[in-house]
Amino acid sequence: MEQQERVTVEQGAQEGPALLQAALTEIGRVYIGPEELVEVLAVALLAPGHVLLEGVPGVAKTTLVKSFARLLGCDFRRIQFTPDLLPADITGTYILDLPTNRFVLRKGPIFCNILLGDEINRAPAKTQSALLEAMGEQQVTIEGLTQRLPEPFLVLATQNPVEQEGVYPLPEAQLDRFFAKVHVGYPEAEQEVTILRTHQREVAPVPLLFSAETVLRLRRAVEGVHVEEELLDYIVRLVRATRDHERIALGASPRAALALLRGAKALALLRGRTFVLPDDIQLLLLPVLRHRLILTPEGELAGSTADDLLEELRLEIPYAR
């Protein structure tokens, strides 16, 4: 069994970098922006976990997600979140089938592989909470009956951090369900020129590169990636430091430590390794932990951000073999 697992991991380490590079190349034709965003999406796909993309309107968040979903060759659905959206609009509901005189389930858009929740913070808390069970347990309960969601299942949600009217901030419980949160900022000047040059004409759609079977196979390979005991201790020290920081009111939970571990293993595989390095953990520290921290009023008044404090901890807590 150990020999079979080891071979699977080695095969994944050979296949992962090629697929990642192909994804970066194909998405780069449509989305002009940092390659790190695509890499985080790929890591979340294999970890597995869900991703929250935050950015002002017009920076191609939806374009990035739709292009990434098309690569996978999986069932893709999009939900435009609005204040009048109901939980049943997401999960589905039972309706009366007149020919049989029986209630049958009309499945909602959540029954898919890749779900784009566009502008998720425009829906009220009751509707947002319809995603909690699905994101945490990959199932939904409709009128007391539990339905499993397909494999793989990934939620990619977008939100606008600027608007204050007509939006409902995500509660901490739901933020913690997201594996990572990434900031989608404005492009560089050279990139913006490339955007103007590229989109003067119609761009060919992104081709299908993955399949559901490929994703599940690579996920199994990620499980076998080796992690030294010293690295487990390193993750714990980083996470626990957020709970003791004077400017952080609520630190990261054990779920955050598990997410950081799974993400580091997935990143190692995508970079062609069967083992985790400290660099893998450090590169994912901000996207995995930034949305799980709540700063104290003093920290906010001092102008600190979660990213600033995490960067401080990364420098203060070195990896010691």
Side-chain angles (χ1 to χ4, degrees):
M1 181 65 183
E2 292 182 359
Q3 178 69 16
Q4 182 179 359
E5 183 182 76
R6 186 178 64 84
V7 172
T8 302
V9 176
E10 290 179 349
Q11 291 174 344
Q14 293 176 356
E15 187 176 4
L19 289 175
L20 176 61
Q21 187 55 51
L24 292 172
T25 301
E26 294 299 334
I27 292 180
R29 294 190 300 102
V30 179
Y31 171 75
I32 312 299
E35 292 186 346
E36 291 79 6
L37 297 181
V38 180
E39 191 171 45
V40 170
L41 293 180
V43 168
L45 180 66
L46 301 186
H50 313 285
V51 181
L52 178 63
L53 297 94
E54 185 177 84
V56 298
V59 290
K61 301 185 295 297
T62 303
T63 299
L64 171 60
V65 172
K66 290 175 67 176
S67 302
F68 181 75
R70 181 169 175 78
L71 284 175
L72 305 179
C74 299
D75 187 17
F76 169 71
R77 304 286 179 87
R78 172 181 176 176
I79 301 176
Q80 183 66 49
F81 280 75
T82 56
D84 60 346
L85 192 71
L86 298 175
D89 297 328
I90 299 175
T91 61
T93 186
Y94 283 90
I95 61 173
L96 180 63
D97 182 46
L98 293 178
T100 62
N101 200 31
R102 298 177 59 185
F103 283 94
V104 296
L105 176 62
R106 183 179 65 184
K107 293 183 176 180
I110 201 170
F111 286 89
C112 64
N113 297 118
I114 309 295
L115 177 67
L116 167 58
D118 213 359
E119 296 183 297
I120 190 174
N121 57 335
R122 285 194 175 277
K126 183 178 180 179
T127 303
Q128 293 174 5
S129 64
L131 290 173
L132 286 178
E133 183 182 11
M135 295 172 65
E137 304 175 44
Q138 200 165 328
Q139 65 182 30
V140 293
T141 301
I142 305 172
E143 297 185 16
L145 298 177
T146 299
Q147 302 281 337
R148 292 292 300 174
L149 295 174
E151 287 272 7
F153 176 69
L154 184 68
V155 174
L156 302 176
T158 68
Q159 73 173 9
N160 177 4
V162 177
E163 290 181 322
Q164 301 296 324
E165 295 184 5
V167 295
Y168 305 83
L170 295 176
E172 286 72 20
Q174 186 159 350
L175 282 174
D176 197 44
R177 292 293 198 279
F178 284 99
F179 163 77
K181 176 183 177 182
V182 295
H183 294 308
V184 186
Y186 290 117
E188 301 292 337
E190 295 80 4
Q191 293 176 328
E192 202 155 0
V193 171
T194 304
I195 292 173
L196 298 180
R197 185 185 304 116
T198 301
H199 290 274
Q200 290 186 76
R201 57 187 182 278
E202 185 176 356
V203 181
V206 173
L208 305 181
L209 296 180
F210 294 79
S211 66
E213 292 73 20
T214 303
V215 173
L216 296 177
R217 185 174 67 251
L218 289 175
R219 283 184 177 182
R220 289 192 293 268
V222 166
E223 294 175 0
V225 173
H226 178 69
V227 185
E228 291 285 351
E229 286 293 325
E230 292 85 353
L231 289 174
L232 297 179
D233 177 70
Y234 182 48
I235 291 174
V236 170
R237 287 190 289 120
L238 285 170
V239 170
R240 291 184 66 87
T242 64
R243 305 171 196 167
D244 301 327
H245 200 286
E246 59 181 7
R247 282 176 285 171
I248 299 177
L250 179 66
S253 66
R255 179 187 289 164
L258 287 170
L260 193 55
L261 172 63
R262 295 197 310 267
K265 294 171 69 173
L267 181 59
L269 193 80
L270 288 170
R271 295 193 168 185
R273 285 182 275 106
T274 60
F275 53 89
V276 172
L277 294 176
D279 289 350
D280 300 323
I281 298 170
Q282 294 173 2
L283 285 171
L284 292 173
L285 186 64
L286 265 63
V288 173
L289 296 189
R290 61 162 56 109
H291 58 294
R292 306 175 192 266
L293 307 182
I294 298 179
L295 273 59
T296 62
E298 294 78 12
E300 293 180 348
L301 288 173
S304 300
T305 65
D307 285 14
D308 296 334
L309 300 183
L310 288 171
E311 187 64 25
E312 288 180 13
L313 293 177
R314 186 184 67 82
L315 296 175
E316 293 174 0
I317 304 175
Y319 167 69
R321 184 174 177 81

